[in-house]
Amino acid sequence: MRFSIIIPTHNRKETLRRSLSAAIVQDYLNYEVIVVDDGSSDGTGEMVRREFPHVRCIRQEPNRGPAAARNRGIEAATGEIIAFTDDDCLVPPNFLSRLADGYCRYPEAVGVGGYLEAPDALLQTNPFACYEAYVTHQVYQAGPEEYLGGFECPAGGTNSMSYRKAVLLEVGGFDETFPYAAGEDADLKWRVVQRGYRLLYVPVKVTHLQPYQFRSFWRQYRRHGYGAVHFERKYRGRLPSATRLALRFAARWARWLPGLLRLGPTLATVKLLAELADWWGQWEEAIRSR
């Protein structure tokens, strides 16, 4: 079983360097690493070729977004299994061996993935990292046990996911009308499971290297809102109306008070910030797309 690790990137040379340093030291032997440089202007391609000569680096220009970049990587891949991660993620040395073990034990699975979480030290002190872990484990239900299922399966985020290449080609890869790093992985997962295929979650952690500061946190969840609008337009055939967006705004505030009692003031307030950023992204994208 041969794997191809695909990492799309755009102007994040420093975190990509760390991501590649982890990707190239897998304890699984039969694999390749492919970087798709999505129109970077910071010397990303030169860095990869100079420091990681065994990594394949494909240049895509102009910048077309992560969905198009991943599709370009899929086309070039020689592996029968395509493993995805991001340029701000550290896969553990046993990442591919854990995925391969999942495919061997569950031959009906067409996709196997793990979960994303902040470095352990940040989970003790950083409220934004704690909220991300809350979403991973409480909302998506990524726990210590394996899970085989459909769309409800915790696996699926392209920071820590793999699929059989044949299935990716069957469903047409990523939908390149999703222009941002948001929603395109959920859309792919939905199209895969709608064909009756099953996915496997295995509890293998991929470490997220983002700063976990307010500005990056707000930007991340605002981008989620962008993706939500594209997902809604594709599957509901409409953009959210001003009335619907106003109701969503009110609902987010209404959930805050019960959350104070259930989650505590810090986590509940960070959750509110994430939901407001998501709402703001939906508002921006809905106006931009009309």
Side-chain angles (χ1 to χ4, degrees), residues 18-76:
R18 296 181 63 187
S19 296
L20 286 175
S21 296
I24 64 174
V25 293
Q26 295 294 294
D27 61 12
Y28 189 88
L29 297 180
N30 191 8
Y31 75 101
E32 64 178 348
V33 179
I34 300 173
V35 168
V36 182
D37 178 7
D38 189 18
S40 297
S41 58
D42 65 347
T44 288
E46 292 80 357
M47 182 276 292
V48 174
R49 286 186 287 272
R50 182 178 64 254
E51 300 182 23
F52 302 94
H54 299 298
V55 170
R56 296 173 64 191
C57 186
I58 300 171
R59 173 77 175 179
Q60 171 176 277
E61 55 184 343
N63 175 259
R64 295 173 54 200
R70 293 192 189 101
N71 284 343
R72 184 77 182 276
I74 294 167
E75 291 173 3

Side-chain angles (χ1 to χ4, degrees), residues 5-290:
I5 300 177
I6 294 176
I7 306 175
T9 189
H10 176 67
N11 286 343
R12 290 210 281 196
K13 180 173 63 175
E14 298 308 320
T15 55
L16 175 65
R17 178 183 284 114
R18 296 181 63 187
S19 296
L20 286 175
S21 296
I24 64 174
V25 293
Q26 295 294 294
D27 61 12
Y28 189 88
L29 297 180
N30 191 8
Y31 75 101
E32 64 178 348
V33 179
I34 300 173
V35 168
V36 182
D37 178 7
D38 189 18
S40 297
S41 58
D42 65 347
T44 288
E46 292 80 357
M47 182 276 292
V48 174
R49 286 186 287 272
R50 182 178 64 254
E51 300 182 23
F52 302 94
H54 299 298
V55 170
R56 296 173 64 191
C57 186
I58 300 171
R59 173 77 175 179
Q60 171 176 277
E61 55 184 343
N63 175 259
R64 295 173 54 200
R70 293 192 189 101
N71 284 343
R72 184 77 182 276
I74 294 167
E75 291 173 3
T78 63
E80 63 189 277
I81 306 294
I82 309 297
F84 298 103
T85 191
D86 291 337
D87 60 4
D88 62 348
C89 296
L90 296 180
V91 294
N94 65 344
F95 181 60
L96 293 184
S97 59
R98 294 286 300 275
L99 299 183
D101 178 65
Y103 282 109
C104 290
R105 289 186 294 106
Y106 294 88
E108 68 271 39
V110 304
V112 182
Y115 68 96
L116 183 71
E117 197 172 62
D120 292 339
L122 283 180
L123 291 172
Q124 308 302 317
T125 59
N126 187 291
F128 302 117
C130 291
Y131 176 71
E132 182 182 72
Y134 163 80
V135 172
T136 295
H137 299 298
Q138 301 302 318
V139 178
Y140 295 135
Q141 295 293 302
E145 304 296 327
E146 294 179 346
Y147 184 93
L148 181 70
F151 194 70
E152 82 287 355
C153 176
T158 42
N159 43 56
S160 55
M161 187 61 185
S162 68
Y163 288 98
R164 298 187 187 273
K165 182 177 180 179
V167 171
L168 291 174
L169 296 177
E170 178 185 331
V171 302
F174 290 88
D175 184 346
E176 296 181 17
T177 65
F178 284 76
Y180 312 107
E184 82 287 359
D185 48 2
D187 169 71
L188 175 70
K189 180 181 178 181
W190 177 254
R191 287 185 283 119
V192 168
V193 301
Q194 284 300 294
R195 294 181 180 238
Y197 291 124
R198 309 195 81 191
L199 306 176
L200 176 68
Y201 162 75
V202 293
V204 57
K205 173 180 173 174
V206 172
T207 301
H208 204 180
L209 297 177
Q210 74 160 317
Y212 291 102
Q213 299 169 350
F214 173 78
R215 181 175 296 181
S216 60
F217 180 82
W218 181 270
R219 186 168 55 245
Q220 175 187 355
Y221 281 93
R222 186 176 67 176
R223 192 167 57 241
H224 285 185
Y226 297 163
V229 168
H230 283 271
F231 199 90
E232 186 170 345
R233 178 169 58 180
K234 180 172 181 176
Y235 291 104
R236 296 185 180 178
R238 64 172 188 264
L239 294 170
S241 66
T243 300
R244 187 176 296 274
L245 287 168
L247 290 173
R248 291 175 185 175
F249 181 78
R252 282 155 167 73
W253 279 101
R255 288 194 291 265
W256 181 48
L257 287 176
L260 289 173
L261 298 175
R262 184 169 55 90
L263 302 174
T266 300
L267 190 57
T269 301
V270 174
K271 180 175 182 290
L272 174 64
L273 289 172
E275 292 183 341
L276 291 178
D278 178 277
W279 176 87
W280 183 252
Q282 291 187 38
W283 179 272
E284 286 184 311
E285 194 62 20
I287 292 174
R288 186 160 46 224
S289 301
R290 292 194 192 284

